[in-house]
Amino acid sequence: MEDLQVLEQELTATVNAANDLNSLEDIRVAALGKKGRVSLMMRELGKMTPEQRQEFGPALNGLKTRLLDRIADRKNEMEAAALDARLQAEKIDITLPGPAEVQGSIHPISQVIDEVTEIFAEMGFAVAEGPDIEEDFYNFTALNIPAEHPARQMHDTFYFPEDEDGNRKVLRTHTSPVQIRTMMSSPPPHRIIAPGRTFRCDSDATHTPMFHQVEALVIDKDIHMGHLKGTLEAFIKAFFEVNNVTMRFRPSYFPFTEPSAEVDIGCDFKAGEIKIGEGDDWLEILGCGMVNPRVLENVGIDPNEYQGFAFGVGIDRIAMLKYGIPDLRAFFDADLRWLKHYGFAALDIPTLSTRGV
Ligand code: PHE
């Protein structure tokens, strides 16, 4: 019988020296396969006296177990090393720009939301959010649009099926529900904008079933329509990058504001180009008004103490105007040629940040 310790050292050394899975398997077969050295020695046990067997049996079994463990460990080491080598070889720096043909771009809507956010942030507005799938209460009731109110029909609402309690959720038809969520979540004063998706069952050259709005809400003591006008003027000048802008407030009706107005901005359509700011033409861009005292009451704010204004701008609308994009539907066609033409480089900074640099 060979000296088991010497044999174990020898076999372990060959396992340690193995460099690939094939040679490791050869070593395993040569030691533990049917005719392997260890297996043959196991067979010898039968010819031994009971005393010898008691000594060699456990020793051989121990050797076999340790050798199998060592082979398994070596296999893991080799696999880990192979993975490491592959990770090294296939390493890519994802912060480097890709080749031009695979480079993405920022969608004009995202760019405009960034621009609008930046302009209002500078004026001290925080950004608020609400869900796209909204409860009837926030989208309508709390905004002074009770059930059966004709304004509900005006909204072409997408309704969800009724739940167990008889409530129907909606895809929000405007960003105004974020006004309610804001006023219910903390006490006044408030100064927020809420950009986001809105949905109405409507589709033609100037309407898509999903579109974007940005809501603004200011609630404080002594807020009046002058603040609304001043804020809108500052926003429009900064956004369209013009020094002068004529605005027209047309009386309108929204259940959640009183008085209400729609705002047109002056523009000029000469030579197939739109010039924003001045001219003989008018373009409607937003709805606004002083927050209806009934809405304040609905959210537990005392209208004798607090007032405010709100407005809702169509983001897609102002993006088309600023960047000369003629068809609204193209925004959502995911046509790569369109995206390449109208998209922005990923590191383009919103216009406001670069002013005066
Ligand atoms: N929510 C209105 C709309 O979608 C716009 C609006 C917002 C009007 C805030 C007044 C005040 O048409």
Side-chain angles (χ1 to χ4, degrees), residues 141-207:
T141 314
L143 285 165
N144 198 32
I145 316 178
E148 314 309 329
H149 192 288
R152 289 201 177 202
Q153 263 81 59
M154 280 162 42
H155 279 225
D156 299 311
T157 313
F158 286 111
Y159 282 97
F160 280 80
E162 259 180 35
D163 65 16
E164 323 71 78
D165 305 323
N167 296 320
R168 296 174 85 184
K169 287 209 166 124
V170 301
L171 285 177
R172 67 174 176 189
T173 56
H174 49 178
T175 41
S176 301
V178 187
Q179 290 188 32
I180 304 298
R181 289 183 173 272
T182 302
M183 291 189 283
M184 287 179 81
S185 66
S186 63
H190 298 288
R191 201 189 292 178
I192 59 105
I193 57 160
R197 291 197 173 102
T198 47
F199 307 82
R200 290 184 200 177
C201 187
D202 202 352
S203 185
D204 59 38
T206 52
H207 298 89

Side-chain angles (χ1 to χ4, degrees), residues 20-258:
D20 56 72
L21 293 174
N22 284 342
S23 40
L24 194 64
E25 178 62 7
D26 290 346
I27 295 166
R28 189 192 65 80
V29 172
L32 301 165
K34 256 195 190 150
K35 291 184 183 152
R37 281 163 77 182
V38 179
S39 312
L40 292 177
M41 288 169 81
M42 292 273 195
R43 265 188 237 164
E44 299 292 309
L45 287 175
K47 298 177 195 152
M48 289 180 187
T49 65
E51 292 74 34
Q52 282 174 320
R53 205 176 302 138
Q54 250 180 19
E55 192 191 334
F56 277 103
L60 259 180
N61 266 328
L63 187 158
K64 184 180 164 186
T65 315
R66 284 189 297 278
L67 194 62
L68 279 172
D69 284 351
R70 184 61 212 132
I71 291 174
D73 285 351
R74 184 76 195 113
K75 196 172 161 203
N76 287 338
E77 284 165 24
M78 282 190 220
E79 280 167 355
L83 182 63
D84 265 357
R86 208 176 135 199
L87 286 174
Q88 279 298 323
E90 294 175 10
K91 192 162 83 176
I92 50 165
D93 182 351
I94 55 163
T95 64
L96 289 176
E101 64 276 16
V102 297
Q103 253 174 51
S105 59
I106 304 288
H107 195 283
I109 300 285
S110 304
Q111 174 78 11
V112 165
I113 290 177
D114 286 352
E115 290 173 11
V116 170
T117 304
E118 175 132 347
I119 292 166
F120 281 104
E122 206 173 58
M123 290 196 258
F125 284 72
V127 175
E129 284 184 318
D132 290 359
I133 297 173
E134 187 53 284
E135 285 167 43
D136 187 286
F137 172 79
Y138 295 102
N139 196 80
F140 292 124
T141 314
L143 285 165
N144 198 32
I145 316 178
E148 314 309 329
H149 192 288
R152 289 201 177 202
Q153 263 81 59
M154 280 162 42
H155 279 225
D156 299 311
T157 313
F158 286 111
Y159 282 97
F160 280 80
E162 259 180 35
D163 65 16
E164 323 71 78
D165 305 323
N167 296 320
R168 296 174 85 184
K169 287 209 166 124
V170 301
L171 285 177
R172 67 174 176 189
T173 56
H174 49 178
T175 41
S176 301
V178 187
Q179 290 188 32
I180 304 298
R181 289 183 173 272
T182 302
M183 291 189 283
M184 287 179 81
S185 66
S186 63
H190 298 288
R191 201 189 292 178
I192 59 105
I193 57 160
R197 291 197 173 102
T198 47
F199 307 82
R200 290 184 200 177
C201 187
D202 202 352
S203 185
D204 59 38
T206 52
H207 298 89
T208 48
M210 190 277 293
F211 57 106
H212 299 81
Q213 291 189 335
V214 59
E215 193 81 7
L217 173 73
V218 172
I219 302 285
D220 207 336
K221 296 172 176 169
D222 309 318
I223 295 290
H224 53 73
M225 260 187 118
H227 295 117
L228 169 60
K229 268 189 101 166
T231 307
L232 284 175
E233 193 170 322
F235 164 64
I236 291 164
K237 282 181 183 170
F239 181 77
F240 288 108
E241 300 173 62
V242 291
N243 292 325
N244 290 308
V245 63
T246 47
M247 292 195 294
R248 184 166 77 171
F249 280 64
R250 270 184 297 108
S252 185
Y253 172 74
F254 300 104
F256 35 93
T257 45
E258 182 58 38

Side-chain angles (χ1 to χ4, degrees), residues 5-6 15 36 54 57 69 74 91 102 124 131 152 155 172 192 194 230 272-273 275 279 292 315 322 329 355:
Q5 257 179 4
V6 175
V15 170
Q54 250 180 19
D69 284 351
R74 184 76 195 113
K91 192 162 83 176
V102 297
R152 289 201 177 202
H155 279 225
R172 67 174 176 189
I192 59 105
E273 241 185 63
K275 205 173 145 261
N292 192 321
I315 293 182
K322 181 166 179 179
R329 286 170 295 193
R355 267 198 324 186

